[in-house]
């Protein structure tokens, strides 16, 4: 096999610099998750197919990667499907396992399977890969990480408050100031549909409303009318299109619009509770904003809906989202388990930090210094120092071969090592080291203690 | 779907306590890798099938998990194989991707694919999952982590010295004292085969010798004879069976046995170089030992062979292994790339630390304190303290509901939270908190500053 090897489309190799940056983000998120009392779980990369199939709609089923059964898999193949050469129908009989499509369904499965070991409310986080057979395109991959935090077994609104704080804490820790945490409530959306007398068209209504940013008021109204919502109905919520001002100003207008809807008023009440708690507790660098056009995952969410927008000026879709769902585990036969959760978009956060140049310089995973190799005796002298430096937490290494000085210096340059250390016969006799700063070119003879101080 | 959900056999869910312990091990390994100058890479979970197939032998090919093509995969099915219902022959035409089987082949592929970006010698580490369709049994899983460190592009023996130090550093950091790092050299084994005039039976010879521990001297000799190695030949290396003493004593005997074999003498020379360097540099808690019966992955290794045994008294197979290979990337058409690497057995190390009770108590990922919820006003008071505590790095949380005191205390007990904090009307008036130690039952009124000091 002499042709240049490649990887499947939609997947990625990560170089040392990329892994270091990705781990920096993941560790920041993990650190905040843990401070907020979330505990990590991990589930297998593949689940039994019946655990996943049918949970994400027809399109989702298609996008799930299926694993071919091992051995003589055709033995159990569905005969009719085989005769008809029907791929779709054949799949279940030759593939029993499938790669994780998201972290939510496996989490629901985990909760039901381990319900007797879990102490509720259960605050779990999970940072693992998921796989989707989507058409790859810029920024969309077939393998990517999801970073989710959820609480199940409590319908307290303090959870929503906490998630707003958690978003603020993570983005503040990453130095990504000025994000907007947009919040909406499914009950408010239900209220709109109720008020206009089109409760059965809730989905059409919200899907259209969600496009306000993109297609404008007239566009949204047009789409609503196309879906059979009358102009008179739309007129009843005219004020929704012009919502402006701060959080309280918006809720005041909403109260007028939703005056006659009980569920709508409940939604406003929830929004106000969250907003007033956040007012009291203050956010560090983020802003909480009410956005009634927000409708993500509507089939799923029953209360709060969250989405995080990058700081103004950064052209990037949402970098996080989530919401409350009333029945996470019903799909596995365990009902009444309310939950709320949020997730972070690792790949997009990476791009934003890159664009704004927010990765700390220290996030390279690089060594601090390279010891030049002058031969066996000199190497042993250096390795003794190296051992002590590593024990003190300093990443250093010896060039492995007694190569020409130029080659070794070149290696240090290419790897962007900040310091090079030289120890030849003279240094060894004097129990010293020559420390060379690769940026400035300065060099000086130093004792081991000085060396350690400099590098620490 | 009302039946209790389950996961595929050979896979595992990890609870918060298990994830915390596994991450403790992984972070310790990663920390030492980085101090030694290894840099992380990550490769996709699945590779193109042709990258993996044929690289692990026939048995390996069978154990690779194949991913079914998406969409109407039967369209491209090999017609003859389909007509014959030949699973084996059909596979390649309906499955283009396969799950990673180890980290070595993807690493070789990475090196060849990115050769122009890589600065050699390249020290990389990789900690990722691999998947094998092996029959699951105690301690053998279908999904597990491998933790590998390799250097490619250098045949310096200092690398071997460094890997011995690296093993020592990791196990010392984990508090796992007293491991034995066994070393052998492929060239010594080749020397044995040469000396007895059976170079073509090298594999049979070493496979038999590898069993010395299990079946004893007579058993090994019997197996060798069955493989067609004569008694006279075996007589020539009789001393191998009685090798005793320290490293140098063993190499002295080996020098006699291998006097006439050039390759054998080269192997001894390499072993002596490594041993004398380690003698000078000293290990912290591990012991380096020469074990000429060690033959793991013989087809693969060309120089040093490593294996790490758990401390005496712990019944566990090897917890690490590795060696030098002269041609990592030849399978992808790039020759002359010598490398050496080691790996750590995460699952087994976990079991050993568990058995010896070596996980630090702090490795739980648990919160430090739970604030009791007495209502809205009290919660806000607590949340202000919580915000500051988290900013100071202390993991704390508020019980989300105003439940009965008993229920909340019960929750704290079940989650094994060390402290509970109460703040009712009286505490709020006095700007104090009541801190209760859940182990001793002691409680005291403290200011926020005291609270912070106690919990930090």
């Amino acid at each position: 096999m002499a042709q240049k090897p490649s990887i499947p489309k939609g997947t990625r190799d990560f170089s040392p610099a990329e892994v270091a940056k990705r781990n920096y983000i993941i560790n920041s998120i993990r650190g905040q998750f843990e401070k907020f009392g979330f505990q990590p779980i991990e589930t297998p990369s593949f689940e039994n197919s019946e655990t996943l199939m049918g949970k994400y709609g027809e399109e989702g089923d298609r996008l799930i990667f299926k694993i071919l059964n091992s051995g003589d898999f055709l033995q159990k193949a569905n005969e009719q499907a085989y005769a008809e050469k029907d791929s779709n129908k054949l799949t279940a009989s030759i593939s029993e396992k499938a790669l994780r499509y998201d972290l939510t369904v496996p989490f629901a499965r985990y909760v039901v399977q381990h319900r007797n070991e879990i102490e509720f409310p259960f605050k779990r986080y999970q940072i693992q890969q998921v796989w989707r057979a989507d058409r790859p395109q810029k920024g969309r991959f077939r393998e990517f990480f999801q970073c989710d935090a959820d609480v199940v077994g409590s319908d307290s609104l303090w959870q929503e408050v906490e998630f707003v704080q958690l978003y603020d804490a993570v983005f503040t820790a990453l130095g990504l100031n000025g994000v907007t945490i947009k919040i909406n409530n499914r009950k408010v959306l239900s209220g709109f549909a109720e008020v206009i007398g089109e409760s059965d068209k809730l989905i059409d209504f919200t899907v259209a409303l969600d496009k306000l940013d993109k297609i404008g008021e007239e566009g949204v109204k047009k789409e609503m009318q196309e879906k059979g919502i009358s102009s008179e109905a739309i007129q009843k919520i005219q004020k929704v299109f012009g919502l402006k001002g701060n959080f309280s100003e918006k809720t005041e207008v909403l109260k007028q619009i939703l005056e006659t809807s009980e569920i709508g008023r409940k939604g406003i009440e929830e929004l106000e509770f969250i907003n007033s708690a956040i007012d009291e507790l203050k956010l560090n660098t983020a802003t909480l904003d009410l956005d009634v056009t927000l409708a993500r995952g509507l089939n799923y969410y029953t209360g709060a809906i969250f989405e995080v927008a990058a700081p103004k000026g950064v052209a990037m879709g949402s970098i996080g989202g989530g919401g409350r769902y009333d029945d996470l585990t019903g799909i596995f036969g365990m009902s009444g388990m309310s939950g709320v959760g949020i997730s972070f978009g690792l790949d997009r956060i990476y791009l934003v930090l890159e664009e704004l140049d927010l990765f700390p310089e220290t996030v390279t995973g690089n060594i601090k210094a390279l010891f030049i190799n002058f031969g066996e005796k000199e190497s042993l002298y250096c390795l003794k120092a190296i051992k002590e430096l590593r024990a003190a937490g300093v990443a250093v290494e010896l060039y492995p071969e007694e190569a020409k000085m130029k080659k070794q210096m070149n290696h240090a340059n290419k790897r962007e090592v900040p310091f090079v250390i030289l120890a030849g016969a003279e240094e060894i006799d004097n129990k010293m080291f020559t420390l060379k700063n690769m940026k400035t070119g300065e060099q000086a003879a130093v004792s081991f203690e000085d060396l350690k101080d400099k590098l620490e």
Side-chain angles (χ1 to χ4, degrees), chain A:
Chain A
M1 183 173 157
Q3 85 270 35
K4 200 178 167 184
S6 63
I7 53 177
K9 60 180 177 179
T11 67
R12 294 167 285 176
D13 278 333
F14 294 107
S15 70
E18 288 166 333
V19 174
K21 286 178 185 170
R22 287 166 61 86
N23 283 346
Y24 164 72
I25 299 173
I26 289 174
N27 289 336
S28 299
I29 295 173
R30 185 196 302 277
Q32 295 302 327
F33 280 175
E34 295 191 351
K35 272 187 227 163
F36 276 71
F38 291 88
Q39 296 189 295
I41 68 161
E42 284 177 18
T43 62
S45 297
F46 46 74
E47 296 271 351
N48 292 320
S49 296
E50 69 252 33
T51 300
L52 304 184
M53 297 298 283
K55 307 302 190 299
Y56 307 98
E58 228 174 277
E59 172 73 354
D61 278 358
R62 246 198 319 275
L63 299 185
I64 290 173
F65 279 112
K66 287 103 188 166
I67 294 173
L68 195 58
N69 290 345
S70 301
D72 188 6
F73 57 89
L74 289 179
Q75 262 192 336
K76 287 193 192 166
N78 178 311
E79 283 184 29
Q80 201 197 335
Y82 200 79
E84 292 168 4
K85 256 194 153 179
D86 184 334
S87 298
N88 221 354
K89 223 156 94 187
L90 186 66
T91 302
S93 65
I94 62 171
S95 158
E96 285 165 6
K97 293 181 286 286
L99 288 176
R100 194 161 56 210
Y101 180 83
D102 75 355
L103 301 178
T104 305
V105 170
F107 174 48
R109 194 266 310 144
Y110 180 97
V111 168
V112 176
Q113 192 174 332
H114 300 278
R115 62 173 111 184
N116 296 325
E117 307 141 40
I118 293 172
E119 167 63 16
F120 294 98
F122 180 43
K123 296 170 79 171
R124 89 85 171 78
Y125 78 83
Q126 197 169 350
I127 301 177
Q128 291 192 281
Q129 282 143 314
V130 302
W131 296 269
R132 296 182 183 182
D134 241 326
R135 188 181 301 273
Q137 57 184 51
K138 192 168 178 293
R140 192 204 280 163
F141 304 99
R142 292 188 150 185
E143 170 176 58
F144 56 97
F145 269 89
Q146 288 194 334
C147 313
D148 286 12
D150 292 78
V151 193
V152 289
S154 160
D155 48 24
S156 159
L157 285 172
W158 290 116
Q159 310 290 12
E160 277 83 342
V161 173
E162 194 156 70
F163 280 119
V164 173
Q165 290 187 294
L166 179 55
Y167 268 136
D168 176 53
V170 167
F171 290 117
T172 301
L174 289 171
L176 186 57
N177 300 345
V179 306
T180 303
I181 302 165
K182 298 192 260 180
I183 187 170
N184 194 11
N185 195 300
R186 157 74 182 245
K187 297 186 179 91
V188 167
L189 294 171
S190 298
F192 290 153
E194 199 177 289
V195 162
I196 63 175
E198 304 273 12
S199 287
D200 57 324
K201 296 214 174 71
L202 173 62
I203 303 285
D204 288 337
F205 173 83
T206 50
V207 166
L209 189 58
D210 193 27
K211 297 179 186 159
L212 187 57
D213 248 10
K214 283 186 206 142
I215 60 177
E217 182 175 336
E218 290 315 309
V220 170
K221 286 181 176 171
K222 198 173 153 227
E223 183 170 324
M224 285 181 178
Q225 283 168 341
E226 280 165 12
K227 295 287 179 184
I229 300 173
S230 71
S231 319
E232 295 72 41
I234 296 171
Q235 190 52 37
K236 289 185 188 153
I237 51 147
Q238 173 58 35
K239 282 183 179 165
V240 168
F241 297 106
L243 269 191
K244 267 189 196 137
N246 65 26
F247 206 106
S248 324
E249 285 162 357
K250 288 181 187 168
T251 50
E252 285 314 311
V253 177
L254 286 182
K255 278 181 198 166
Q256 297 165 24
I257 302 171
L258 296 172
E259 207 179 348
T260 59
S261 164
E262 194 187 327
I263 191 163
R265 289 198 312 269
K266 181 86 177 72
I268 299 170
E269 199 183 291
E270 292 183 10
L271 287 167
E272 285 187 318
F273 179 90
I274 297 161
N275 184 51
S276 81
I278 292 298
D279 258 359
E280 275 284 324
L281 295 167
K282 307 264 184 306
L283 296 179
N284 294 301
T285 63
T287 308
L288 181 66
D289 191 24
L290 173 56
D291 182 352
V292 293
T293 69
L294 197 62
R296 47 182 298 142
L298 186 71
N299 290 321
Y300 191 65
Y301 294 127
T302 53
I305 303 172
F306 296 112
E307 192 168 282
V308 182
K312 289 188 180 67
V314 182
M316 181 69 66
S318 70
I319 54 176
R324 177 172 289 277
Y325 37 86
D326 269 349
D327 188 15
L328 174 73
T329 54
I331 44 171
F332 297 114
M334 181 183 179
S335 58
M337 187 59 75
S338 180
V340 52
I342 63 172
S343 74
F344 290 82
L346 174 63
D347 287 310
R348 287 187 175 176
I349 293 171
Y350 186 104
L351 292 173
V352 173
L353 295 188
E354 198 76 288
E355 184 175 334
L356 299 178
D357 202 14
L358 289 175
F359 284 109
E361 260 185 56
T362 50
V363 179
T364 60
N366 205 354
I367 50 169
K368 224 34 188 305
L370 178 75
F371 282 75
I372 298 297
N373 189 327
F374 287 111
E376 198 173 319
K377 191 180 148 213
E378 293 84 354
S379 291
L380 259 184
Y381 177 78
C382 291
L383 281 170
K384 284 178 188 171
I386 286 172
K387 189 184 171 190
E388 283 195 52
L389 287 169
R390 287 174 179 164
V394 187
V396 287
E397 66 179 72
L398 170 73
Y399 190 82
E401 264 133 299
E402 193 188 335
K404 286 198 179 119
M405 183 68 174
K406 198 181 160 190
K407 187 175 178 190
Q408 298 191 44
M409 294 302 280
N410 230 340
H411 182 75
N413 265 324
K414 282 200 177 146
R415 284 183 60 187
E416 297 179 13
V417 178
F419 293 96
V420 151
I421 298 162
L422 305 97
E426 200 188 319
E427 280 91 351
I428 297 179
D429 282 347
N430 299 322
K431 296 192 176 154
M432 299 291 273
F433 298 86
T434 297
L435 178 69
K436 183 182 168 85
N437 183 320
M438 294 296 280
K439 252 193 187 154
T440 64
E442 285 174 288
Q443 60 179 58
V446 294
S447 69
F448 177 74
E449 283 313 314
D450 284 348
L451 184 68
K452 200 171 131 187
D453 284 349
K454 290 257 183 194
L455 296 179
E456 271 180 336

